[in-house]
Amino acid sequence: MPEISVTMKAHGGHDASWVVVKAGSLGELTDILDGFSASGVSALVGGAVTALRAEEALGAALGARPVTHPGAYDGGSQNGSQGSSAGQAATPYGNAPTCPHGTKRFIEKPYKNKPGTWRAWGCPAPQGTPDACSLEFIK
């Protein structure tokens, strides 16, 4: 049976909340969407998102910074990267630069469609962090 999927996004920003509804038929989809609104689930989701944003705003106002999970940046496990983090030896490209999230990690990966590798400094913020810095490519 084909599956029908509807994605609802609160707004156009990267930090928007998403809800994905999947159904096996148009009738089932209609029932789910009617129930979503009538049951108050949409209000609950909206309230949780509002509370989370308030906590993030309060943390930012107090000068809080994201905390890394122990072992999250071990210099080689994330996204197949290799590299340095604070306290490690310098790379052939110098010491790791820093950003508002901490010491950047060295990344070296092969190109997908051509020979050779690319190198960059990557932000240590967890993947998906809205304010994560862009890669800083090494020439």
Side-chain angles (χ1 to χ4, degrees):
M1 177 188 291
E3 184 176 73
I4 300 169
S5 177
V6 173
T7 302
M8 299 176 284
K9 191 172 176 186
H11 57 78
H14 291 291
D15 60 341
S17 300
W18 293 36
V19 174
V20 179
V21 178
K22 295 182 179 184
S25 69
L26 288 175
E28 183 182 2
L29 179 65
T30 301
D31 291 343
I32 292 170
L33 292 175
D34 283 345
F36 182 77
S37 179
S39 68
V41 170
S42 58
L44 289 173
V45 170
V49 168
T50 299
L52 178 62
R53 287 190 180 142
E55 290 173 12
E56 288 175 340
L58 177 61
L62 295 174
R65 292 181 48 186
V67 177
T68 59
H69 186 276
Y73 308 115
D74 62 3
S77 65
Q78 190 175 21
N79 297 329
S81 65
Q82 303 170 351
S84 64
S85 60
Q88 291 185 333
T91 70
Y93 305 98
N95 291 325
T98 60
C99 69
H101 305 101
T103 303
K104 291 190 174 188
R105 66 188 190 284
F106 177 71
I107 303 169
E108 184 172 15
K109 291 187 178 182
Y111 290 111
K112 290 184 180 180
N113 299 321
K114 64 180 181 178
T117 58
W118 59 267
R119 295 164 193 85
W121 296 108
C123 179
Q127 188 172 8
T129 301
D131 65 338
C133 305
S134 299
L135 288 175
E136 185 178 327
F137 287 95
I138 300 169
K139 294 182 181 184

